[in-house]
Amino acid sequence: MSTLGWLLGKVFSVTVTLIIILVIITFLPGIPPYVNFTKLEELEPPLPLEGALAKNNKLDRVERILEGQIVGPESLASRQPNEIFINLHGGKIVRIWGPSYEHSKVVTAIAPECDEAKWGGQVNERCGHPLGLRFGPDGRLVVADCVLGLLAVDVETGEQEVLFDLMEEVDIEGEVAMFPDDLDVDREGNIYWSDGSAVTHVDQVLIDFAASPSGRLIRFDHKTKTNKVLVRNLHFANGIQLSQDEKFVLVSELFKNRVLRHWLHGPKAGQTEMFVDRLPGFPDNIRPNGKGGYYIAIITVFPESSLRVLRIAGRLPWLRKLVTRVLYLTQLLLETIGKLDPSHSIDQAAKKIFNFLTLSQHNLRHSNFSVVVEVDGEGKIIGSLQGYSGQQVLISEAQKVGDYMFFASPYNSYLGKLFVGEVKEGMKQQQQPQPQQQQQQQQVRGKEEL
Ligand SMILES: *[C@@H]1O[C@H](CO)[C@@H](O)[C@H](O)[C@H]1NC(C)=O
C-alpha cells in the first residue's frame, strides 16, 4: 500500500471517530448542562440608524466619575435632586451627591463579609452581586441581587430586610428563583422583578443564550411575601419598569432585542404584547425619561456578521446543544486542571467561557458603537444617545436625575455622567467644567470619601 493510501485511510478513520464522538455528545442524554434546546424564534434585524435613531455622538461627551475606584455599578436610584445611590460588585451601596455630584461615600454593604469582588469571579456565596436598585414607597432602597435575592435596605441606618434569600431554595410556582436582575416597586410596595433565567447563574449567562427561553417576570406581594409569575419563557428577562399610572409593566427581553409590555389593569389586564422591537442590540434596564417615555440602555451591540450566525444557530437546536455541551465539558476540564494551577489563570479562562462579558468584549473589538434608545409612552422610538469613541460602553442603565444623565454598567470601573440641562448665558464655564479637569477633581475628592 502506498504512503498516500495509508495517509488517506488515517484521515478517514480520524474523521469518522470525531464524528461519532460529536454525535454521542449531541444526542446522549444526561450530559450537562441540563437545559433544553428548541428552535428559537427568528431574530429580527435591528432597525437602521436613521430617523429617530440617526447617528450622533452624545455619549462621546460623557464624563467618567470615580474611575478606578468602583467596580461594576450596574444600576442607580435617586430619591431627591443632587443625590444618587449606586451598587457595586461585592454588595456595597455608594451615595454620590453634590451640585455636580462631587462627593461620594459607601453607605452600607448588603454582604458585609465580602469586601472586594471583581467581575468575572465565580458566584461567591458571601459576595453580593446587586443588579437592580429602586427606592420603595417606604423610603427604603430595594435591591435585586442575583446571588443574595431581594432585599430592602435603609440607606441611613444600614438596616436590611431580606425579602427572600436566594441561598435558600425560593419556590416560585414549582420552580426555584435563580437570577433576580432588575425591579420596580409600585405605590403599595409590591415588587415587580425579573428572574433573568430559570437555568443559569450570573457567570453562565451564555448557556441561557443558547438554550430555550426560561426567564420570568414576577410580582412579589409585599403583604403576603409571596411571588407570582406574570410572564414566562422570556429569552432572558432583564430591565423592569412600571408605567407612571402603574397600568402596565415593561420587561426587556435581552436576547430578542425587544421590550414587552404586560398589562396589569384595564381591558387588556393579564395580556403581554410587543412594546418596541428591533432594537440596535441587547436591551438592559429601562428608566423613565421624565416626559412619560423611557430610556432603554443597550448593553451590547453585535456586528451584522454575528447576526447571521445567530439566525442560523437559532434554527438548529442540535447545533447549539453540541456547541454548548462541548464548551461545558471544556469548562469542567479546565476547572479540574485549574485546581492544580496556583496562578488561577486556567480557572479564570474557564470562567470566561459562558460569561456575558466574553460576548460583549467580542462585540466591542469590532466596534465601540454604544447606544441608549429613547421611546415615548407607547414604545415609539423618539431619539437616542450614541457613542463611537469608547468613552462610554456596555451601558446597563441610563437614568436622568435633574440636569444630569448617568450611565451605569456591570463591566465598567466608572460611572458615566453627562450634563443635559440648559446652559444659561454666561454660566457656560461654571456649569460645564472641562471633562478632564472635573474628572481629576472628582477622583481626588472621591478618594477621600469612598
Ligand atoms: C474602542 O475604544 C478604545 C478606548 O477608547 C480603543 O482603545 C479601541 O481601539 C476602540 N476600538 C475600536 C474597535 O474602535
Side-chain angles (χ1 to χ4, degrees):
M1 200 167 70
S2 71
T3 319
L4 184 66
W6 176 83
L7 203 65
L8 282 177
K10 266 282 172 224
V11 168
F12 180 74
S13 69
V14 166
T15 310
V16 168
T17 314
L18 204 64
I19 288 173
I20 291 173
I21 292 173
L22 291 181
V23 167
I24 290 174
I25 291 179
T26 310
F27 295 104
L28 195 75
I31 296 179
Y34 306 110
V35 295
N36 295 323
F37 296 89
T38 46
K39 217 171 139 186
L40 299 177
E41 228 174 278
E42 182 123 323
L43 198 62
E44 297 283 343
L47 291 167
L49 298 180
E50 52 190 46
L53 282 179
K55 284 194 181 183
N56 64 69
N57 286 78
K58 291 177 186 164
L59 291 178
D60 294 335
R61 291 189 286 117
V62 167
E63 302 158 30
R64 297 177 173 186
I65 66 170
L66 300 173
E67 188 162 16
Q69 299 168 60
I70 54 176
V71 180
E74 156 124 1
S75 183
L76 63 113
S78 178
R79 55 180 179 178
Q80 61 192 32
N82 299 328
E83 180 198 58
I84 57 166
F85 291 83
I86 58 169
N87 51 10
L88 303 184
H89 278 213
K92 280 179 187 155
I93 308 288
V94 178
R95 178 175 175 239
I96 306 176
W97 75 99
S100 57
Y101 299 88
E102 57 273 45
H103 308 288
S104 59
K105 195 175 169 46
V106 176
V107 289
T108 187
I110 53 171
E113 304 96 325
C114 182
D115 203 33
E116 199 66 29
K118 298 248 182 292
W119 49 258
Q122 204 166 17
V123 174
N124 183 316
E125 300 224 326
R126 285 163 300 127
C127 283
H129 200 132
L131 299 179
L133 291 184
R134 296 273 187 171
F135 277 102
D138 63 1
R140 290 189 300 172
L141 187 64
V142 185
V143 186
D145 186 297
C146 66
V147 177
L148 301 175
L150 221 55
L151 304 95
V153 180
D154 184 321
V155 290
E156 305 302 336
T157 64
E159 212 171 298
Q160 354 180 321
E161 181 192 353
V162 179
L163 301 173
F164 66 76
D165 184 351
L166 224 55
M167 295 291 158
E168 293 158 20
E169 283 204 353
V170 186
D171 178 78
I172 301 173
E173 298 179 16
E175 283 169 277
V176 292
M178 198 77 180
F179 203 133
D181 191 298
D182 191 28
L183 79 153
D184 201 357
V185 192
D186 70 13
R187 285 187 253 281
E188 289 173 13
N190 301 303
I191 300 166
Y192 295 84
W193 62 280
S194 48
D195 200 16
S197 155
V199 293
T200 53
H201 281 300
V202 64
D203 291 331
Q204 305 280 75
V205 170
L206 295 184
I207 292 181
D208 197 74
F209 187 25
S212 305
S214 66
R216 295 173 293 177
L217 167 63
I218 299 171
R219 179 183 188 271
F220 176 80
D221 186 299
H222 84 114
K223 285 201 196 101
T224 62
K225 311 269 182 222
T226 53
N227 288 289
K228 185 177 182 303
V229 180
L230 301 180
V231 183
R232 36 180 99 241
N233 300 331
L234 297 169
H235 209 171
F236 203 93
N238 205 322
I240 299 287
Q241 177 65 50
L242 280 161
S243 62
Q244 221 169 358
D245 58 9
E246 300 185 350
K247 284 203 171 130
F248 62 81
V249 57
L250 300 175
V251 55
S252 24
E253 195 174 13
L254 186 74
F255 295 134
K256 283 194 183 157
N257 295 356
R258 66 189 190 185
V259 173
L260 301 178
R261 153 156 66 184
H262 179 78
W263 287 95
L264 301 167
H265 301 287
K268 291 197 206 164
Q271 288 178 26
T272 309
E273 63 185 19
M274 187 71 72
F275 188 66
V276 51
D277 68 346
R278 299 182 62 195
L279 288 164
F282 289 160
D284 206 312
N285 287 354
I286 310 166
R287 293 297 183 264
N289 69 351
K291 297 175 282 186
Y294 308 94
Y295 289 114
I296 303 167
I298 304 296
I299 181 89
T300 184
V301 175
F302 36 80
E304 220 160 290
S305 51
S306 312
L307 196 72
R308 236 170 298 139
V309 176
L310 292 182
R311 295 178 104 179
I312 295 168
R315 268 180 249 142
L316 306 171
W318 62 266
L319 180 67
R320 280 179 282 120
K321 191 173 177 180
L322 171 64
V323 173
T324 308
R325 282 180 166 187
V326 167
L327 289 175
Y328 195 84
L329 295 175
T330 309
Q331 188 179 46
L332 285 182
L333 185 70
L334 289 178
E335 276 172 357
T336 311
I337 303 170
K339 289 206 175 78
L340 307 169
D341 165 31
S343 73
H344 298 294
S345 54
I346 296 175
D347 212 37
Q348 288 299 321
K351 288 195 181 85
K352 282 190 184 139
I353 292 180
F354 291 113
N355 199 307
F356 190 75
L357 183 60
T358 307
L359 177 76
S360 307
Q361 279 174 335
H362 165 264
N363 295 342
L364 271 187
R365 270 196 291 279
H366 195 268
S367 146
N368 277 322
F369 172 46
S370 300
V371 55
V372 171
V373 176
E374 187 178 8
V375 296
D376 69 9
E378 289 304 308
K380 181 172 166 269
I381 295 175
I382 53 171
S384 75
L385 296 101
Q386 302 181 18
Y388 294 85
S389 70
Q391 175 67 5
Q392 173 66 61
V393 293
L394 304 172
I395 306 164
S396 57
E397 181 175 318
Q399 194 174 153
K400 189 167 174 285
V401 182
D403 282 343
Y404 289 94
M405 223 166 138
F406 293 94
F407 303 91
S409 171
Y411 304 121
N412 292 340
S413 56
Y414 59 85
L415 185 73
K417 182 184 117 187
L418 179 66
F419 181 81
V420 290
E422 258 176 62
V423 182
K424 294 184 188 79
E425 233 14 80
M427 284 185 66
K428 209 160 187 156
Q429 240 116 44
Q430 283 165 295
Q431 284 257 336
Q432 278 189 300
Q434 291 299 312
Q436 207 60 41
Q437 218 180 324
Q438 191 174 24
Q439 207 169 301
Q440 277 162 8
Q441 276 175 14
Q442 263 156 4
Q443 274 182 18
V444 174
R445 288 192 203 142
K447 271 211 182 79
E448 290 163 8
E449 290 166 342
L450 249 187

